[in-house]
Amino acid sequence: MSVQDRTWAGLMRRIGLVHLRIWQWEVLADRVDLLLSELVTNGFQHGQGETVDVRLWRTADHVGIEVASGSGPQVPCPRVPGLFDESGRGLGLVAAVADAWGIADGGRIWCLVARGEST
C-alpha cells in the first residue's frame, strides 16, 4: 500500500461524516467511521484492482456501505489472528460493529448500520 493509498481511508471517513450530517444521522458517526476506515484500508491492502470503489447509502432504517476492490482468486473471509499478529482482524471487526454484513459477487464487501431508536 502506497503512502497515497493510505490517505483515502481518511478522505472516505470525512465524506461519510458529511453524509451523516446531511442526513442528520450523526449518532452513527463512530460506527460508520470505523467501518469505512477498515473496509477502504483492506481494499487497498488486499484488493486485486488498481481502484477501490466505495458506495454509501441510506434507507429509512439503516446506512449501507459497500467497498469493491477487484475480484481475485480468493474471496475475503474473516480469520482468527494469533495474539501477536499485526493483521487479520479487519473482517472480524466489521462483523462486530455492523448490524449485518456480507460478501457479494466479485468480493464486494457490504455492511449495514441500523439507525436505531435513539435518532
Side-chain angles (χ1 to χ4, degrees), residues 69-84:
S69 56
S71 59
Q74 292 183 316
V75 173
C77 63
R79 51 185 189 146
V80 179
L83 183 60
F84 300 107

Side-chain angles (χ1 to χ4, degrees), residues 48-119:
Q48 301 297 313
E50 293 185 17
T51 62
V52 172
D53 296 321
V54 179
R55 181 174 169 234
L56 183 69
W57 74 93
R58 75 172 171 102
T59 68
D61 301 323
H62 65 264
V63 170
I65 302 168
E66 182 180 85
V67 175
S69 56
S71 59
Q74 292 183 316
V75 173
C77 63
R79 51 185 189 146
V80 179
L83 183 60
F84 300 107
D85 288 349
E86 293 183 8
S87 64
R89 292 173 180 81
L91 289 181
L93 188 58
V94 169
V97 172
D99 292 302
W101 77 281
I103 301 169
D105 293 339
R108 292 177 295 121
I109 301 174
W110 61 268
C111 63
L112 303 175
V113 180
R115 184 175 183 192
E117 297 297 320
S118 62
T119 57

